[in-house]
């Protein structure tokens, strides 16, 4: 059994965070493990207001010992880290156990919660984790934060940002969310390996139920790498996977709806 780990927050509603990651690993036929960094809750009495409760440092280190030292893994991803010590522990354990297949999802915003989570953490994530990442998966907002380019409004700007993020140390950069660019009629993402750009295209899915899409995408990339795919192949398969998931997204309540990571089983990945 191929093992893969997520270092991420728990989303009590089940659509994002480590819950999305573990569901995705399962769909890829892998054994998933999780080190929980924060617990995110959503309050039905305040319009689904998010709260984030950090897991204390000793408990996070103990989970890292379980997962990295006690078991080991072929690939890992990180999601919402939430504290400086979570950034430091992630870096420490990835280096100590020489995990090459590491996907950094630089989670800085939750859909539905507009403001950045912890702006002061972003530079720590850039400096300490980007250089360890086989693939970094920022959305446009996160790419702006990581690259310092304000106002990514075109594919050209996405490419400029990808170069800067590559130069900060990520071996491959996948910027998601071209569908958010002004006038976009396709879901356009770009992939950069330091030499070539690839544009990954899919039809735009008109839904607001996209909760957990970023988590699922980065988990699928880590899962693809664990299964031996190249970075580009892992990204391309993840894009098919998330497209099927979002085509089958659904409402949990009036505020939020996740994708369905198991959707590819009924809808071929190739349609
Ligand atoms: O989708 C970003 C995200 C990541 N991780 C956790 C979350 C969310 C958004 O709600 O709760 C734990």
């Amino acid at each position: 059994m191929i093992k893969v780990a997520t270092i991420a927050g728990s989303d009590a509603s089940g659509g994002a965070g480590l819950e999305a990651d573990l569901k995705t690993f399962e769909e890829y036929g892998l054994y998933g493990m999780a080190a929980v960094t924060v617990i995110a809750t959503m309050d039905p009495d305040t319009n689904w207001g998010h709260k984030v409760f950090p897991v204390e440092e000793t408990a996070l280190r103990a989970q890292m010992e379980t997962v990295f030292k006690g078991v080991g893994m072929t690939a890992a991803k990180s999601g919402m880290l939430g504290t400086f010590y979570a950034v430091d522990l992630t870096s420490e354990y990835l280096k100590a156990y020489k995990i090459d297949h590491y996907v950094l999802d630089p989670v800085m915003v939750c859909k539905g919660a507009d403001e950045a989570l912890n702006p002061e953490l972003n530079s720590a994530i850039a400096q300490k984790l980007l250089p360890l990442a086989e693939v970094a998966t920022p959305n446009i907002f996160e790419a702006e934060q990581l690259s310092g380019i304000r106002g990514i409004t075109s594919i050209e700007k996405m490419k400029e940002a990808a170069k800067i993020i590559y130069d900060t140390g990520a071996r491959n950069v996948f910027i998601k969310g071209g569908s958010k660019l002004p006038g976009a009629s396709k879901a356009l993402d770009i992939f950069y390996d330091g030499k070539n750009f690839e544009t990954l295209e899919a039809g735009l899915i008109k839904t607001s139920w996209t909760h957990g899409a970023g988590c699922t995408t980065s988990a699928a990339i880590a899962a693809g790498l664990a299964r031996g795919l190249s970075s580009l192949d892992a990204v391309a398969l993840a894009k098919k996977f998330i497209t099927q998931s979002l085509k089958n997204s659904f409402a949990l309540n009036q505020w939020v709806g996740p994708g369905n990571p198991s959707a590819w089983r009924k809808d071929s990945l190739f349609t």
Side-chain angles (χ1 to χ4, degrees):
M1 194 74 167
I2 299 170
K3 298 173 207 92
V4 56
T6 180
I7 305 159
S10 165
D11 166 11
S13 78
L18 69 88
E19 287 82 356
D21 297 340
L22 293 178
K23 291 170 192 180
T24 301
F25 297 157
E26 185 76 14
E27 295 302 326
Y28 272 71
L30 307 176
Y31 180 78
M33 295 178 281
V36 190
T37 53
V38 298
I39 297 168
T41 63
M42 299 85 198
D43 180 7
D45 294 326
T46 60
N47 280 320
W48 216 237
H50 287 51
K51 282 204 187 111
V52 173
F53 302 88
V55 169
E56 65 177 72
E57 183 170 359
T58 48
L60 182 53
R61 183 179 284 282
Q63 295 177 82
M64 296 298 222
E65 288 283 304
T66 309
V67 169
F68 282 85
K69 186 175 183 181
V71 183
M73 71 216 59
T74 306
K77 70 153 272 191
S78 63
M80 187 188 289
L81 295 170
T83 60
F84 286 101
Y85 57 79
V87 175
D88 287 341
L89 283 169
T90 301
S91 158
E92 177 186 331
Y93 277 83
L94 288 169
K95 284 197 262 189
Y97 292 89
K98 299 188 170 53
I99 306 300
D100 276 344
H101 295 315
Y102 162 55
V103 178
L104 167 61
D105 185 4
V107 175
M108 294 177 186
V109 274
C110 273
K111 291 193 184 70
D114 284 339
E115 77 283 19
L117 282 165
N118 241 349
E120 66 279 12
L121 267 186
N122 298 348
S123 62
I125 290 174
Q127 284 161 25
K128 295 182 175 170
L129 296 179
L130 270 181
L132 303 177
E134 179 165 8
V135 184
T137 65
N139 60 26
I140 292 203
F141 174 82
E142 291 154 355
E144 287 174 350
Q145 303 298 308
L146 291 175
S147 67
I149 297 182
R150 291 292 172 268
I152 297 179
T153 50
S154 64
I155 296 285
E156 284 62 44
K157 290 270 184 205
M158 280 171 88
K159 290 183 174 174
E160 249 179 73
K163 279 190 172 156
I164 295 172
I165 296 168
Y166 176 85
D167 287 340
T168 316
R171 282 168 275 155
N172 299 277
V173 182
F174 181 50
I175 304 187
K176 309 163 297 182
S179 56
K180 303 261 164 56
L181 295 177
S185 59
K186 295 236 167 222
L188 272 188
D189 305 316
I190 62 141
F191 176 86
Y192 181 58
D193 64 3
K195 292 192 195 81
N196 300 307
F197 285 102
E198 298 282 342
T199 306
L200 290 99
E201 228 181 86
L204 203 53
I205 300 158
K206 290 219 164 38
T207 177
S208 13
W209 305 136
T210 58
H211 181 60
C215 307
T216 301
T217 301
S218 56
I221 296 170
L225 295 174
R227 296 200 65 121
L229 298 182
S230 70
S231 301
L232 178 57
D233 288 347
V235 164
L237 187 62
K239 172 109 174 160
K240 285 179 185 156
F241 186 79
I242 191 64
T243 301
Q244 293 311 108
S245 174
L246 291 178
K247 272 187 191 161
N248 292 274
S249 64
F250 58 99
L252 288 181
N253 55 30
Q254 61 187 292
W255 299 287
V256 71
N260 176 0
S262 73
W264 70 275
R265 292 190 236 158
K266 59 186 175 71
D267 300 343
S268 158
L269 275 176
F270 300 98
T271 55

